[in-house]
Amino acid sequence: MPLRVVALLVVTAMLSCGDGGTEPAPDPPRPTTVTVTPANSVLSALGATVQLTAEVHDQYGGVLSGAAVSWSSNAPSVAAVDATGLTTANRNGIATVTAATGSVSGNGTVTVAQQTAAVTVSPDTATLVQGDTLRLTARATDANGHPVSGAEFAWSSTDTEVVEVDDEGLVTAAGFGEGTITATSSAVTGAAEFTVMAPAPTTVAVAPAMVDFTALGQTMLLSAEVFDQLGRTMKGVGVTWASADTMVAVVDSVGLATAAGPGETDILATVDSISGEARVSVRQTVASVAVVSPADTIAPGDTLRLTARATDMNGHLLDDQRVTWSSRDTSVARVDNSGLVIGVDEGVATIVATALGTVGTARIGVVSPDRAVLLALYEAMGGPRWTDNDNWATEAPIRTWSGIGINDRGRVQAFNLPANNMSGPIPPEISGLTDLERLNLSGDNLTGSIPPDIWTLTSLEFLALGGNNLTGSIPPDIRALTNLEFLSLSFNNLTGSIPPDIRALTNLEFLSLSFNNLTGSIPPELGQLLNLRVLDTQGNDLTGPIPPQLGSLANLRSLIMGVEFAPLGGAARGGLTGPIPPELGRLTNLSRLDLRHNRLTGPIPPELGRLNELERLSLGNNSLTGPIPPELGDLANLRTLYLSGNRLTGPIPPELGKLTKLEGLYTQFTSVTTIPPELGLYDPMPSKVVRR
């Protein structure tokens, strides 16, 4: 029976005897000692472990089974312990491992002392040339492969006639053959095996290693040095020279290399089977550039192909010239990347060809063919008497001649010299200005007919010949000017009819044929000029009706078709007849409608009240009848209403009182007698002009 149980029975028996009084309770078991097993441990390798156990005893000397203990190490860097008592070696030293329960603990001592288990020598094999040396290193490790700190080694050779070794592990190759070097620590040995050979060529070095040739035919003398296994120069060893690509470079028997063509190659120096090489690069450098031109001059807008010859310092042509082109005066001539020169304007331009930083030049003169045309016009139209003839007939570029504008091709684009005291006919040479877009010769003293050569100037956008003494008719050939936007032939002595072919001028925005001697009717084809903004035919001998097709001109701003200069109260020579087409009421952008001094009959179309933009309405001196349409009161922008010299009857419609912008209302020589007071007019006598 356990001693602890016997003691408890004795105490119990004693308490039950006696005089029946109460005895003290027994002391319950409690931990009083902890024993760690084993008490001393030695670990000979890092990472090695030992399992420690702990036994807890109470005050009666009994073992308390199941008592929990905690483990700790006073030097965990030497030996660390986990919660189960497993202790692991971390470095050499001594650690105390403690097992504790409550305030009671016990200790165990763990000593970590590495012991060499293996020795390795690096390198473990080597091949040496006689006389060569090699430093070896030795490494001692414990049973777990960890280096043993402070291990010392004894070095020795198995055959000192082949290899020798000193106390520091420095090996010297003494003779040919094979030998072993050993390193010993704590009776453990490691070895390295050596083979010692005789000197032999192993490397050939060519100098210089890089050669850059910049011209064909250039040379460079190369040299070769032969080295043995130890990197020592071997004297008196000859080499054989060769080129890997003789199209790039060649080499003779003494190593003289010569550039043969662009590219890269290797020059080889060989002994036995060992070769060294020099990298040879042949990149021709341009020493000079020659620009070749088939001509010295060019016209604006024309082209001229230039070529460039780039040569190296030895005069050899570069295959890949890589020429870039530029012009030092792009306002005279430009050049593209291929050497194509484009004439821009008169003058002299220097064209530059650049190849790899070297330049060559050519001087190209640009002479405009328009110069001769302008000189012919100058002579034919009295140029010396012109009011403004600055720089004309001089050597100055034609762009500086007064009134002349040029385009980006250097050709004459504009001829603007109005009111310049010009005289004589327009010469046929004008057809030579093939790029002409704007011609303004108005307000001069030009005579003769409009030359047919003008109709060949198909680039014309603006043509103003008004205010001269031109005669003849407007020919059907005018249809060729399809780019025309502005045409003024007014104030001349032109005769004949308006050609229907004018309908081809679909870009036309301004058309003035006023104050000539034109006859015939207004061609309905004018209704096809849908871009027209101004149409002025006044002051001619035109007859016939107003074509209703004009109602299609939706962009029209001004329509003037009066005869003008008619006697007061009647029509002049000629004059349009028939009613005013109601289709004119569709011209909603119209600001001026002038049909004075014709022979128009019938009523004023009420559709004219739709012309919301109208500012001036002139219908005077016709034979219009009937009342003034009240719809005219819707013309909110109207400033002038001229109705005099007609056969209108009835009162002025009170609706005209809405015309707040109206400045003048003219009704004299009509039968209009009643003036509504809401118009706010004064001087209402029918024999006079009625105004606000």
Side-chain angles (χ1 to χ4, degrees):
M1 178 179 298
L3 180 60
R4 180 169 61 91
V5 175
V6 173
L8 288 173
L9 291 175
V10 172
V11 172
T12 302
M14 292 174 65
L15 292 174
S16 63
C17 298
D19 56 5
T22 301
E23 296 294 333
D27 187 14
R30 63 180 181 278
T32 57
T33 61
V34 177
T35 303
V36 176
T37 305
N40 293 287
S41 303
V42 177
L43 300 177
S44 61
L46 303 185
T49 61
V50 60
Q51 181 66 58
L52 302 182
T53 61
E55 192 173 65
V56 181
H57 298 270
D58 60 18
Q59 69 272 35
Y60 304 110
V63 176
L64 293 176
S65 60
V69 297
S70 61
W71 294 90
S72 63
S73 171
N74 71 333
S77 62
V78 174
V81 62
D82 66 9
T84 68
L86 183 65
T87 303
T88 303
N90 289 328
R91 67 177 175 84
N92 293 328
I94 299 174
T96 299
V97 177
T98 302
T101 177
S103 60
V104 181
S105 63
N107 298 324
T109 300
V110 178
T111 301
V112 180
Q114 286 178 285
Q115 295 182 8
T116 300
V119 173
T120 57
V121 178
S122 296
D124 59 359
T125 61
T127 299
L128 302 179
V129 178
Q130 186 179 15
D132 196 5
T133 61
L134 178 65
R135 174 75 65 183
L136 300 181
T137 61
R139 182 171 181 263
T141 56
D142 60 23
N144 288 333
H146 296 283
V148 177
S149 176
E152 295 183 354
F153 301 94
W155 295 91
S156 63
S157 171
T158 60
D159 189 345
T160 57
E161 291 185 358
V162 177
V163 285
E164 299 174 347
V165 64
D166 66 9
D167 293 339
E168 303 298 326
L170 180 65
V171 177
T172 302
F176 310 140
E178 295 181 350
T180 301
I181 300 297
T182 61
T184 302
S185 176
S186 299
V188 180
T189 299
E193 302 295 330
F194 285 87
T195 300
V196 180
M197 300 186 304
T202 57
T203 306
V204 177
V206 179
M210 297 288 297
V211 179
D212 291 318
F213 288 130
T214 59
L216 303 186
Q218 274 188 300
T219 60
M220 172 67 72
L221 182 62
L222 305 178
S223 63
E225 190 172 8
V226 182
F227 299 92
D228 64 14
Q229 303 97 317
L230 302 181
R232 297 173 298 189
T233 302
M234 300 182 70
K235 304 295 184 182
V237 180
V239 298
T240 301
W241 293 95
S243 171
D245 188 347
T246 57
M247 297 297 292
V248 176
V250 296
V251 63
D252 65 11
S253 60
V254 298
L256 182 67
T258 304
E264 292 186 349
T265 189
D266 293 323
I267 300 295
L268 306 175
T270 304
V271 55
D272 296 336
S273 61
I274 308 302
S275 295
E277 61 190 33
R279 190 65 175 170
V280 175
S281 173
V282 181
R283 294 182 178 87
Q284 289 173 280
T285 298
V286 179
S288 63
V289 176
V291 179
V292 181
S293 174
D296 296 330
T297 60
I298 187 177
D302 287 346
T303 60
L304 181 68
R305 175 72 68 183
L306 303 184
T307 57
R309 297 184 73 258
T311 55
D312 61 25
M313 61 183 296
N314 290 333
H316 296 281
L317 187 67
L318 274 72
D319 291 337
D320 183 7
Q321 300 184 38
R322 299 180 185 178
V323 176
T324 58
W325 295 89
S326 62
S327 171
R328 290 180 179 168
D329 191 346
T330 55
S331 65
V332 175
R334 300 191 304 269
V335 62
D336 67 11
N337 291 331
S338 68
L340 185 68
V341 177
I342 304 170
V344 176
D345 192 13
E346 290 189 302
V348 177
T350 299
I351 305 300
V352 180
T354 303
L356 300 179
T358 303
V359 301
T361 61
R363 288 173 59 82
I364 303 298
V366 180
V367 179
S368 174
D370 294 341
R371 176 180 287 269
V373 175
L374 295 178
L375 289 174
L377 299 179
Y378 182 77
E379 294 297 329
M381 296 189 293
R385 297 185 300 276
W386 291 356
T387 304
D388 184 3
N389 58 7
D390 290 348
N391 287 336
W392 277 77
T394 69
E395 295 298 322
I398 60 175
R399 69 173 178 273
T400 66
W401 294 12
S402 60
I404 297 301
I406 63 171
N407 59 20
D408 56 2
R409 301 193 310 120
R411 302 298 301 272
V412 174
Q413 183 180 35
F415 191 149
N416 288 304
L417 287 173
N420 201 40
N421 198 32
M422 292 184 178
S423 61
I426 301 173
E429 286 86 352
I430 197 168
S431 63
L433 301 179
T434 55
D435 284 19
L436 195 63
E437 296 179 4
R438 185 180 180 90
L439 178 60
N440 187 354
L441 303 179
S442 58
D444 281 300
N445 299 309
L446 300 176
T447 57
S449 62
I450 302 174
D453 309 272
I454 283 186
W455 314 128
T456 67
L457 301 177
T458 56
S459 294
L460 273 178
E461 298 175 0
F462 185 101
L463 177 59
L465 299 177
N468 285 287
N469 295 308
L470 299 174
T471 57
S473 63
I474 303 172
D477 292 340
I478 195 174
R479 62 177 173 267
L481 303 184
T482 55
N483 289 307
L484 209 60
E485 298 175 1
F486 183 100
L487 175 60
S488 175
L489 302 176
S490 57
F491 293 97
N492 280 290
N493 295 310
L494 300 176
T495 56
S497 61
I498 301 173
D501 304 81
I502 206 168
R503 66 176 178 270
L505 309 185
T506 55
N507 290 307
L508 205 61
E509 297 180 7
F510 182 98
L511 176 60
S512 178
L513 305 175
S514 60
F515 300 105
N516 280 286
N517 297 312
L518 300 175
T519 57
S521 61
I522 296 175
E525 289 80 1
L526 293 183
Q528 299 178 29
L529 303 179
L530 301 181
N531 288 307
L532 208 60
R533 293 175 179 270
V534 174
L535 175 57
D536 186 356
T537 63
Q538 66 177 319
N540 285 288
D541 295 332
L542 299 172
T543 58
I546 298 173
Q549 290 85 348
L550 298 186
S552 299
L553 303 179
N555 291 309
L556 204 63
R557 300 291 181 85
S558 181
L559 177 59
I560 306 173
M561 289 186 164
V563 175
E564 203 58 271
F565 306 126
L568 196 61
R573 52 179 186 167
L576 302 175
T577 58
I580 299 174
E583 288 83 358
L584 298 187
R586 298 202 300 261
L587 304 179
T588 54
N589 286 308
L590 206 63
S591 63
R592 179 181 179 185
L593 176 59
D594 191 340
L595 303 177
R596 292 178 296 171
H597 305 296
N598 281 294
R599 297 178 180 178
L600 300 174
T601 58
I604 299 174
E607 287 82 359
L608 298 185
R610 302 172 184 169
L611 305 180
N612 296 328
E613 301 296 324
L614 202 63
E615 297 180 4
R616 179 174 178 180
L617 176 59
S618 298
L619 303 178
N621 294 88
N622 280 286
S623 298
L624 300 175
T625 58
I628 300 173
E631 287 82 357
L632 298 186
D634 294 331
L635 302 178
N637 290 299
L638 198 65
R639 296 180 180 276
T640 301
L641 177 57
Y642 184 73
L643 303 175
S644 301
N646 281 289
R647 299 174 184 176
L648 300 174
T649 59
I652 296 176
E655 286 82 359
L656 298 190
K658 296 185 296 183
L659 303 179
T660 58
K661 296 183 179 180
L662 191 65
E663 298 173 354
L665 171 60
Y666 303 86
T667 61
Q668 67 267 36
F669 304 108
T670 69
S671 299
V672 174
T673 57
T674 304
I675 302 175
E678 55 265 36
L679 294 184
L681 303 176
Y682 66 90
D683 197 8
M685 298 298 293
S687 62
K688 295 183 179 181
V689 174
V690 179
R691 297 181 183 275
R692 285 186 180 274

